[in-house]
């Protein structure tokens, strides 16, 4: 397990899972209650520890970036489940993929000004990443959420 000074090892998580949000091959995202606050928790298996630590480091350097979820302090490794967890601001609402599906189902579409606003926000966020020499590499509608 690669060492990081801020890595906390424990048998007992510091949070309570409220619901599963989604996930891909690499990790799963949950809405959790931590320190009395609802936050998003990304959980990754130990096999993907290097990638998870990289994502954590990148998110640390993106703190304060416009339109990017802010990372919270604390990276936890649970010895019992062999899972790494890190935390960020939780965004309610549907991801862009789901919104498009719903609009399509109702034979509707985003308006031109909505498309411009969404595209602009994504471009601003990516520009910030690039200014920190970070490439997203997995930009897709499912990874974009509406701020409600
Ligand atoms: N901070 C957050 N608040 C609310 N929902 C989130 C947050 N971060 C991610 N999600 C949602 O959780 C789901 C999974 O996110 P994740 O970033 O793990 O996606 P992925 O890229 O598909 O997975 P992987 O990185 O494992 O390939 C997506 O639907 C995403 O919109």
């Amino acid at each position: 397990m690669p060492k990081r000074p801020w890595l906390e090892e424990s048998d007992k998580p510091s949070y309570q899972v409220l619901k599963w949000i989604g996930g891909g091959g690499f990790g799963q995202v949950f809405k959790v209650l931590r320190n009395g606050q609802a936050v998003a928790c990304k959980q990754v298996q130990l096999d993907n520890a290097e990638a998870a630590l990289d994502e954590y480091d990148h998110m640390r350097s993106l703190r304060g970036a416009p339109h990017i979820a802010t990372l919270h302090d604390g990276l936890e490794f649970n010895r019992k489940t062999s899972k790494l967890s890190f935390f960020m601001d939780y965004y309610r609402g549907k991801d862009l993929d789901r919104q498009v599906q719903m609009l399509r189902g109702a034979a509707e579409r985003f308006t031109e000004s909505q498309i411009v606003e969404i595209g602009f926000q994504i471009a601003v966020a990516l520009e910030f990443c690039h200014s920190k020499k970070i490439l997203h590499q997995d930009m897709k509608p499912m990874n974009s959420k509406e701020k409600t």
Side-chain angles (χ1 to χ4, degrees):
M1 170 74 140
K3 278 287 166 203
R4 291 290 196 287
W6 52 86
L7 185 71
E8 297 157 23
E9 289 193 42
S10 72
D11 294 332
K12 204 169 161 278
S14 67
Y15 57 89
Q16 180 194 339
V17 175
L18 298 176
K19 71 168 185 179
W20 176 75
I21 301 174
F26 161 65
Q28 302 294 319
V29 178
F30 298 86
K31 179 183 180 184
V32 304
L33 193 64
R34 187 174 186 246
N35 302 329
Q37 191 189 1
V39 298
C41 166
K42 183 145 182 173
Q43 281 190 1
V44 176
Q45 280 294 347
L46 190 57
D47 308 352
N48 290 317
E50 271 301 340
L53 293 169
D54 280 351
E55 187 170 340
Y56 183 83
D57 284 343
H58 290 146
M59 288 196 69
R60 265 168 61 97
S61 47
L62 293 173
R63 272 185 182 146
H67 313 302
I68 296 179
T70 302
L71 182 80
H72 293 206
D73 284 331
L75 175 69
E76 289 181 24
F77 176 65
N78 187 309
R79 281 187 289 252
K80 276 191 182 152
T81 58
S82 285
K83 282 181 184 155
L84 275 164
S85 300
F86 56 85
F87 310 89
M88 60 197 131
D89 286 351
Y90 168 70
Y91 290 97
R92 302 182 52 194
K94 295 170 186 57
D95 63 50
L96 210 50
D97 186 55
R98 187 85 193 99
Q99 286 188 60
V100 170
Q101 284 178 29
M102 286 180 65
L103 285 171
R104 199 176 282 152
E108 286 175 23
R109 47 178 68 195
F110 282 122
T111 63
E112 215 169 273
S113 62
Q114 283 175 314
I115 293 168
V116 169
E117 182 57 28
I118 292 166
F120 179 74
Q121 290 186 12
I122 292 173
V124 167
L126 290 179
E127 188 181 39
F128 192 96
C129 293
H130 298 168
S131 75
K132 300 277 179 188
K133 304 269 182 265
I134 293 170
L135 275 181
H136 191 289
Q137 293 189 300
D138 193 24
M139 199 57 229
K140 56 188 178 190
M142 208 197 278
N143 285 347
S144 302
K145 280 214 139 183
E146 180 188 21
K147 214 174 192 173
T148 51

